[in-house]
Amino acid sequence: SSEEADLYRIIFSGFAKVQWDAPQTRRGRTYDDQKFFNSLKEQASGGKVLSSKQMDALKKLIQKKIKMVINLN
């Protein structure tokens, strides 16, 4: 819907200047917040709706980076 598209646009534009942490490897898995964020952004930009689990993960990223987003904007 256009409401979801507007929400995605607001969220993703707020992260335009964020400095991402280097990927971290734990227990053999690599966690890369920037790569994950960009994959969500691509999906949303392509007109797809993010799942509830993806939105939950995005909320966690927002909570982790909110101070940086506020200071940059």
Side-chain angles (χ1 to χ4, degrees):
S1 75
S2 73
E3 288 177 5
E4 286 171 332
D6 290 342
L7 175 63
Y8 295 153
R9 194 171 15 266
I10 291 166
I11 291 170
F12 293 120
S13 66
F15 278 78
K17 299 176 186 174
V18 166
Q19 294 292 318
W20 296 96
D21 299 328
Q24 296 180 0
T25 301
R26 288 177 280 176
R27 295 186 211 143
R29 291 192 69 184
T30 300
Y31 297 90
D32 187 338
D33 288 346
Q34 183 177 16
K35 184 176 179 181
F36 180 69
F37 179 82
N38 287 335
S39 73
L40 294 180
K41 183 178 176 180
E42 266 185 49
Q43 183 175 334
S45 297
K48 296 181 181 174
V49 176
L50 299 179
S51 71
S52 61
K53 286 185 178 184
Q54 288 172 316
M55 286 300 294
D56 288 344
L58 184 56
K59 288 175 190 174
K60 286 181 184 178
L61 273 179
I62 291 169
Q63 290 171 343
K64 186 175 176 181
K65 297 290 186 180
I66 192 69
K67 288 180 185 175
M68 188 180 296
V69 170
I70 290 170
N71 290 335
L72 291 172
N73 292 311

